[in-house]
Amino acid sequence: MLNIALPKGRLGEKVYDILERAGYPCEAIKANGRKLIFENSEQGIRYFWVKPSDVSIYVERGAADIGIAGKDILLEYTPDVYELLDLKIGKCRMAVAAKKGFRDDGRKTLKVATKFVNITKKHYSGISRDIDIIKLNGSIELAPILGLSDVIVDIVETGSTLRENDLDVVETIVPISARLIANKASFKFKTKEIENLVQGVRLQIAEND
Ligand code: PRP
């Protein structure tokens, strides 16, 4: 049995569609209930819905053999897993943003609000800029508007959250997309099953490109 952690939400639904087309269907998963685990014993697969930011925890600890996680989560938490494939969906970018017209004159410590503390630290230590990190858990865009921070480091997808709050991108840190990851021991013991699935998914991605 191959245990697959899917990220709950719109991205996860897209991922499931790809897996279904790749030959790993599980009809029951489409019901709109609160059930979290779905099994297709004929195909030897079990899906579960997990919070997107938790996928890499399930995979790293072996509760799931494989999973789909955003590159943002992999960069932030650096889980000890194999990254097998870029699914080329869930595309967005990690960016620094601020109020329109903001210029960093570099004279005082920069106040940065973010959910992504490690990505932020790495980015600013790379350019030797002193920062004060304010860790938030959501609605990060509020921070510069209310004067809680000078800038934010956050995900920008369509750009509408920034636009509607009069913020601009200052710089892009890294492009992001969904990745297929595998538990290291599972990859060793279920190599064939995992490689078959990866190959099936790869073909679907090529068709979508
Ligand atoms: C994410 C991110 C931005 C927004 C970007 O927030 O933190 O706020 O999406 O998307 P856009 O460029 O298409 O507007 P999410 O919806 O995950 O909620 P959050 O505020 O709780 O982080």
Side-chain angles (χ1 to χ4, degrees), residues 42-62:
E42 276 165 36
Q43 296 287 338
I45 46 165
R46 187 187 294 131
Y47 289 115
F48 21 92
W49 292 119
V50 312
K51 196 176 153 79
S53 52
D54 288 342
V55 167
S56 65
I57 300 173
Y58 283 81
V59 174
E60 182 177 35
R61 291 180 173 264

Side-chain angles (χ1 to χ4, degrees), residues 115 137-139 141 154-161:
K115 263 197 271 202
N137 300 299
S139 304
E141 292 83 358
D154 199 14
I155 285 187
V156 179
E157 190 180 353
T158 61
S160 40
T161 311

Side-chain angles (χ1 to χ4, degrees), residues 6 10 24 28-29 37 42 59 65 69 87 94 111 114 130 169 180 196-197:
L6 293 173
R10 217 159 31 101
Y24 299 88
I29 207 169
I37 304 185
E42 276 165 36
V59 174
D65 299 305
L87 298 185
M94 186 66 64
K111 286 190 281 176
T114 189
D130 274 342
V169 168
L180 198 151
N196 285 343
L197 183 141

Side-chain angles (χ1 to χ4, degrees), residues 1 6 21 40 48 56 68 85 111 155 162 198-199:
M1 189 61 77
L6 293 173
R21 288 201 306 273
N40 179 341
F48 21 92
S56 65
I68 289 80
L85 193 61
K111 286 190 281 176
I155 285 187
L162 293 183
V198 168
Q199 184 53 22

Side-chain angles (χ1 to χ4, degrees), residues 1-203:
M1 189 61 77
L2 207 53
N3 291 299
I4 307 172
L6 293 173
K8 219 188 287 180
R10 217 159 31 101
L11 175 66
E13 284 162 23
K14 274 194 197 168
V15 170
Y16 171 75
D17 285 343
I18 293 176
L19 285 160
E20 185 179 65
R21 288 201 306 273
Y24 299 88
C26 189
E27 209 42 47
I29 207 169
K30 291 177 177 171
N32 267 338
R34 305 282 297 166
K35 201 167 138 72
L36 297 173
I37 304 185
F38 300 89
E39 196 172 304
N40 179 341
S41 42
E42 276 165 36
Q43 296 287 338
I45 46 165
R46 187 187 294 131
Y47 289 115
F48 21 92
W49 292 119
V50 312
K51 196 176 153 79
S53 52
D54 288 342
V55 167
S56 65
I57 300 173
Y58 283 81
V59 174
E60 182 177 35
R61 291 180 173 264
D65 299 305
I66 61 170
I68 289 80
K71 185 68 180 174
D72 51 333
I73 299 299
L74 303 179
L75 290 170
E76 180 64 19
Y77 299 108
T78 56
D80 189 18
V81 297
Y82 291 131
E83 189 183 313
L84 299 179
L85 193 61
D86 181 351
L87 298 185
K88 301 193 179 149
I89 57 172
K91 283 187 183 172
C92 51
R93 55 186 166 140
M94 186 66 64
V96 179
K99 283 208 278 192
K100 279 187 197 307
F102 171 82
R103 292 278 170 280
D104 179 10
D105 62 17
R107 280 186 297 191
K108 54 181 177 34
T109 303
L110 188 70
K111 286 190 281 176
V112 189
T114 189
K115 263 197 271 202
F116 301 95
V117 170
N118 294 323
I119 292 174
T120 299
K121 278 186 187 157
K122 192 165 170 222
H123 172 67
Y124 283 103
S125 78
I127 55 173
S128 304
R129 180 70 175 99
D130 274 342
I131 57 165
D132 174 13
I133 294 190
I134 300 152
K135 164 86 165 77
L136 296 177
N137 300 299
S139 304
I140 317 294
E141 292 83 358
L142 273 175
I145 299 169
L146 300 180
L148 180 63
S149 74
D150 301 309
V151 300
I152 61 173
V153 168
D154 199 14
I155 285 187
V156 179
E157 190 180 353
T158 61
S160 40
T161 311
L162 293 183
R163 246 185 332 270
E164 288 182 27
N165 291 290
D166 295 318
L167 303 174
D168 268 341
V169 168
V170 175
E171 61 179 316
T172 292
I173 298 178
V174 65
I176 304 290
S177 58
R179 308 296 161 102
L180 198 151
I181 57 172
N183 173 271
K184 288 189 165 175
S186 300
F187 191 71
K188 193 167 167 193
F189 296 110
K190 302 184 184 179
T191 316
K192 201 161 177 319
E193 293 95 316
I194 294 176
E195 279 184 343
N196 285 343
L197 183 141
V198 168
Q199 184 53 22
V201 169
R202 188 180 277 126
L203 289 172

